[in-house]
Amino acid sequence: MVKVFASLSVFVLTIAAVKAQTINMADYPKPNEVPDTKSAQVQAWLKEIDLTGAPTTPLAKAPKGSPPECPATPGDACIWTCTGCAGEDILECGAPGTWGLTFDDGPSTATPQLLDFLKTNKLSASFFLIGSNVIQFPATVKRELQEGHHLASHTWSHTALTTLTNEQIVAEMKWTEKAVLEATGVRMKYMRPPYGDINNRVRFVLKKMGYIPVDWTGDQFDTNDWRIGTTGWDLTKVVSTFSTNLDAYVGKLTANANQAGFYCLEHDVSQTTVTAALQLIPLGLKKNIKFANVGDCQKDASPYQSGSSPANPTTPANATTPSGAKPSASSSHAPTNGPNVIGAGSHQAASAGLISALAIGVAGALLA
């Protein structure tokens, strides 16, 4: 009988895994478009969130797929990419001498290659996911979690958040949250604003939903992988530029072993950016720099609002409270949205009948 129920357990888990790896895209908004705030689902979410008291900062303007220009008079909006004001955003890895490994804009068809590399080197990263891509590659997101990586949000459509209404920000975050929850069972806690575009109004809305913004540690830790193919930038320049910046960091670390860790800006959106990562990460490995995901960097034992993940391959200690640095306007990288692809005798007989009946019932419930 034990074997029977063991078999049933395996069957149930298999069905659950299949369900978790398939998402009905028809249940979600159009990929790479700002979701409709008038939909019944968004309206239901809005009823659960009290946005009373949100700052009344005017909406910024920007062409689709681009970050907004800095206003002539930013005032007290606390715009990170314009004034360096970070509010309560996380800008540095809390573990000294540690590279906070993060990747934006995935998943994509190139992400599995990156996961293979990270697994071989026993490294754990945080993946800031675009909801539009999650519904296209849910199995990849599930693999990320299963292999000890940390999942975080990068919104639904990679639209600059200061250009959106409070309600649109909610829609961007909650649809992405729903997709990741459906694929993995975890509700994310950390997020990175597209282009690093954030102000106090955006922070207010994010906090109401339980999200903590994670930016990156200034221009020197922007790998510029997103520039490859633009004028003056190729893979060789990206690697050499970052190598120089990493050498400068190691120099500071040599002088001060408690030098704060850093977060890099990298992407797993394309084969080009993943190829860059496979050359950039070994630079740190050769210099004996430690690596960690955001949860480990910040020494957060509960890196999700709900749900849990497998133990991570790396767990740095001695986390400290992070401080920050600001990127220049050039660090607000160009849009990098992912691809649109979307027993004996009678006991055996009784047991067989039982497992068949239970299996049919469970399968029906799970696949409904």
Side-chain angles (χ1 to χ4, degrees):
M1 194 68 176
V2 172
K3 291 183 179 180
V4 169
F5 281 103
S7 298
L8 176 59
S9 296
V10 171
F11 178 82
V12 170
L13 289 173
T14 299
I15 294 296
V18 170
K19 180 178 175 64
Q21 291 185 20
T22 55
I23 288 180
N24 185 358
M25 292 179 62
D27 294 338
Y28 288 84
K30 183 178 179 181
N32 303 321
E33 297 287 343
V34 177
D36 180 7
T37 60
K38 295 181 180 179
S39 71
Q41 178 63 85
V42 174
Q43 286 297 307
W45 285 326
L46 288 170
K47 289 179 180 178
E48 299 171 353
I49 303 169
D50 182 9
L51 297 176
T52 303
T56 57
T57 309
L59 301 190
K61 295 182 180 181
K64 182 178 179 180
S66 299
E69 296 291 335
C70 291
T73 54
D76 59 356
C78 191
I79 309 171
W80 180 53
T81 51
C82 295
T83 65
C85 178
E88 297 180 351
D89 300 0
I90 294 173
L91 299 182
E92 294 177 345
C93 175
T98 302
W99 178 335
L101 197 56
T102 67
F103 294 94
D104 295 8
D105 297 357
S108 72
T109 54
T111 302
Q113 182 185 5
L114 175 60
L115 292 175
D116 291 342
F117 174 85
L118 296 175
K119 185 175 183 179
T120 297
N121 288 279
K122 298 181 179 179
L123 300 176
S124 178
S126 285
F127 286 90
F128 288 91
L129 307 166
I130 291 181
S132 294
N133 294 338
V134 171
I135 63 172
Q136 297 172 68
F137 303 105
T140 299
V141 179
K142 184 178 178 67
R143 178 185 170 185
E144 289 171 344
L145 186 70
Q146 290 176 330
E147 295 187 357
H149 300 292
H150 171 239
L151 308 181
S153 179
H154 201 41
T155 75
W156 176 261
S157 69
H158 201 278
T159 299
L161 294 182
T162 64
T163 69
L164 302 181
T165 66
N166 297 341
E167 293 76 14
Q168 288 175 317
I169 295 170
V170 170
E172 286 272 340
M173 295 299 298
K174 296 299 282 188
W175 277 117
T176 303
E177 179 180 291
K178 175 179 170 62
V180 173
L181 184 64
E182 184 174 351
T184 67
V186 300
R187 190 184 305 277
M188 299 171 293
K189 179 177 180 179
Y190 294 90
M191 67 81 64
R192 175 170 286 164
Y195 315 106
D197 178 52
I198 188 169
N199 61 19
N200 279 342
R201 180 181 65 85
V202 173
R203 292 185 183 96
F204 179 93
V205 179
L206 293 173
K207 190 172 185 177
K208 285 291 184 175
M209 293 181 283
Y211 282 96
I212 301 172
V214 181
D215 305 321
W216 59 93
T217 317
D219 280 353
Q220 67 271 37
F221 296 110
D222 177 353
T223 65
N224 293 294
D225 60 352
W226 54 275
R227 292 183 185 271
I228 296 175
T230 63
T231 302
W233 285 89
D234 58 14
L235 179 58
T236 299
K237 182 173 181 178
V238 164
V239 173
S240 64
T241 299
F242 186 71
S243 180
T244 298
N245 293 338
L246 200 58
D247 284 340
Y249 175 79
V250 171
K252 294 179 181 178
L253 187 60
T254 300
N256 175 19
N258 291 319
Q259 178 71 32
F262 59 88
Y263 286 118
C264 268
L265 181 63
E266 296 184 81
H267 304 84
D268 62 314
V269 68
S270 68
Q271 187 61 56
T272 298
T273 59
V274 167
T275 296
L278 301 191
Q279 294 195 32
L280 294 171
I281 294 173
L283 298 176
L285 293 173
K286 291 176 182 177
K287 299 178 189 299
N288 295 317
I289 292 176
K290 293 177 289 185
F291 289 79
N293 64 41
V294 171
D296 287 339
C297 270
Q298 305 313 127
K299 218 173 184 179
D300 188 346
S302 302
Y304 297 103
Q305 295 192 54
S306 65
S308 60
S309 62
N312 294 324
T314 58
T315 310
N318 305 317
T320 58
T321 302
S323 58
K326 88 178 185 80
S328 66
S330 63
S331 286
S332 299
H333 58 284
T336 49
N337 287 339
N340 255 338
V341 289
I342 347 219
S346 59
H347 289 289
Q348 285 184 329
S351 297
L354 174 62
I355 191 170
S356 297
L358 286 174
I360 292 172
V362 172
L366 286 172
L367 294 176

